[in-house]
Amino acid sequence: MISSGEIPLIRDNTLVQRHATQVNAAYQKVWAEGAPDYLRGRLPPSSLLGRIGQLEHRREPWQRLADRIAGLVAPALRKAFAATRPTVETDVQREIDVAVTAAESNLIREFPTVSFGPVGTRPDFSSDKSADNPGEPELFVEVKLVKQRSDVRRVTDEILADIPKYAARARSALFLIYDGGGFVADEESFAAMFERIGPVRVRVLRH
């Protein structure tokens, strides 16, 4: 026998099931209409099927913010260094800072609950300060410059040393690596090496 107190719960559950059915029907319609273009790679990444195909719905907000920042700065760097390659890391930091600052208002609107630190920041997380220290961002942006093949090893060691510091602070980082000579052979494998062991995103940016 159902008590009067259980009736609202049953009604709510029915409403949820009906809503889920409607959402599923809408998705099936979108899939039926867009599948051919999706399979041929004709749909933009921002479309519903494009986002689902990229598993964007399964990514954390900081991961989506990091990818958004990387997507913003990549064309900016190609333009900035079209004629002259950077000679020091600060050259890359400056151009990235300009690109991110110009888009900051839009980034804040898109990711209102995730803040990010200044470009080039190398925070020391070995102290005993609280991870909830006021003003401390959730995502830090770090820049690396690879000018020669030996720099790949140096950058690798630096990132591996930094990952535990971020993990211990419950913070994350976006490492933007400007590769001036194609010295990182496999960008995806290089990034995956770090991303599977800590809360970081690694993006290799090329000329």
Side-chain angles (χ1 to χ4, degrees), residues 66-84 92 95-100 102-103 176-178 203-207:
D67 291 344
R68 182 81 170 89
I69 292 174
L72 283 169
V73 303
L77 291 186
R78 284 195 294 270
K79 182 177 181 181
F81 300 122
T84 306
V92 185
E95 296 299 334
I96 291 177
D97 198 27
V98 170
V100 173
L176 296 172
I177 303 170
Y178 187 84
R203 292 294 178 264
V204 178
L205 309 174
R206 300 191 188 278
H207 177 66

Side-chain angles (χ1 to χ4, degrees), residues 23 41 45 51 77 84 91 122 136 138 164 175 183 185 188 205:
V23 170
R51 290 177 179 274
L77 291 186
T84 306
D91 292 340
R122 295 288 304 280
E136 182 175 281
E138 296 179 48
F175 291 93
F183 299 112
E188 292 187 3
L205 309 174

Side-chain angles (χ1 to χ4, degrees), residues 100-176:
V100 173
T101 300
E104 186 171 7
S105 61
N106 287 332
L107 290 172
I108 291 174
R109 284 196 295 269
E110 293 174 20
F111 306 93
T113 61
V114 184
S115 59
F116 59 95
V119 172
T121 296
R122 295 288 304 280
D124 181 5
F125 285 162
S126 61
S127 68
D128 295 328
K129 290 168 60 181
S130 168
D132 295 322
N133 185 42
E136 182 175 281
E138 296 179 48
L139 174 70
F140 287 88
V141 181
E142 296 198 18
V143 179
K144 308 288 184 182
L145 174 61
V146 174
K147 296 193 298 181
Q148 54 191 7
R149 196 167 302 279
S150 60
D151 288 338
V152 177
R153 169 61 65 181
R154 172 185 58 80
V155 167
T156 297
D157 292 341
E158 289 177 357
I159 297 176
L160 288 175
D162 286 339
I163 289 177
K165 300 175 185 178
Y166 287 111
R169 298 282 296 186
R171 293 297 182 261
S172 51
L174 166 64
F175 291 93
L176 296 172

